[in-house]
Amino acid sequence: MKILVNGIQSNLRFSSAHVIPGHESCGFIHGHSYFVDVEIEGERAGEFEFVVDFKDVKGYTKAICDELDHRLLIPVYNNLIEFKDFDKKSDSIFDLKEQKTAHFKIDGKGYSIPSVDCVFLPLPYTSAEELSKFFAETLARKLSETYDNLEYVSVCVNEGIGQGAMYRKDL
């Protein structure tokens, strides 16, 4: 059985700025008002024969949205972003979070942004495709702590009405 959670109607939204380094039009810092749809398939189980409790799905997804909301999303593992005082091969993303200011270059343009205004993501891009994978994997990991009856978690991150990317994480 499947359960569906509509991001617009369930208030699973976030507004963030991002950049897709090297892209002709998305290579500039710009933003979107995102919303997140979730689909989960599994067997009904437990006292109430739920696939999964909607409260859990919405709560965990909202927590991810809240973390990204009103921040600049930075894909740490993008080869076109050069960070000052950070080695992608040996340093932890947590080291970037500890710095007061993030200093980096994209295509020769230098940026200095307070770290508190950023979310450093372990991704190569902050595209809808990569964000949907990030959400699905994070949500699947969290739900698997409580539920052992799930077949997959699928998440669609929409950059606006009519366009989004969906990723399915099989469990």
Side-chain angles (χ1 to χ4, degrees):
M1 178 168 275
K2 285 184 192 174
I3 65 111
L4 303 170
V5 178
N6 180 292
I8 289 179
Q9 294 173 338
S10 297
N11 198 32
L12 300 176
R13 309 166 187 230
F14 63 101
S15 296
S16 297
H18 77 137
V19 61
I20 309 286
H23 190 273
E24 182 180 345
S25 58
C26 297
F28 300 93
I29 293 177
H30 64 286
H32 298 281
S33 291
Y34 298 91
F35 62 95
V36 180
D37 299 321
V38 180
E39 176 182 293
I40 298 173
E41 185 162 336
E43 295 298 319
R44 295 172 66 180
E47 178 183 0
F48 302 105
E49 295 190 20
F50 291 161
V51 172
V52 63
D53 193 324
F54 286 114
K55 181 180 171 183
D56 291 339
V57 175
K58 291 190 283 188
Y60 299 151
T61 306
K62 181 82 170 104
I64 302 167
C65 290
D66 289 349
E67 182 182 342
L68 305 180
D69 194 35
H70 287 82
R71 298 289 184 271
L72 172 60
L73 308 181
I74 300 178
V76 173
Y77 298 120
N78 184 287
N79 292 331
L80 298 176
I81 298 179
E82 302 169 39
F83 291 94
K84 181 180 177 186
D85 300 325
F86 178 77
D87 184 341
K88 295 178 191 182
K89 293 183 178 120
S90 61
D91 294 336
S92 165
I93 287 179
F94 297 106
D95 295 330
L96 280 173
K97 292 179 183 180
E98 296 290 316
Q99 296 177 8
K100 288 187 182 278
T101 304
H103 302 281
F104 56 95
K105 287 185 180 181
I106 302 174
D107 292 332
K109 294 188 297 186
Y111 299 89
S112 292
I113 301 173
S115 294
V116 70
D117 291 350
C118 304
V119 176
F120 302 100
L121 295 167
L123 305 173
Y125 295 98
T126 51
S127 61
E129 292 84 353
E130 286 294 328
L131 290 172
S132 65
K133 182 178 179 185
F134 175 76
F135 267 85
E137 290 180 346
T138 304
L139 187 56
R141 189 170 42 254
K142 187 67 178 165
L143 288 170
S144 292
E145 293 174 5
T146 306
Y147 298 92
D148 63 0
N149 59 313
L150 306 180
E151 294 177 27
Y152 70 82
V153 173
S154 180
V155 175
C156 183
V157 173
N158 300 276
E159 290 184 342
I161 294 177
Q163 66 183 41
M166 183 177 287
Y167 181 84
R168 175 180 160 151
K169 173 70 175 171
D170 291 319
L171 300 173

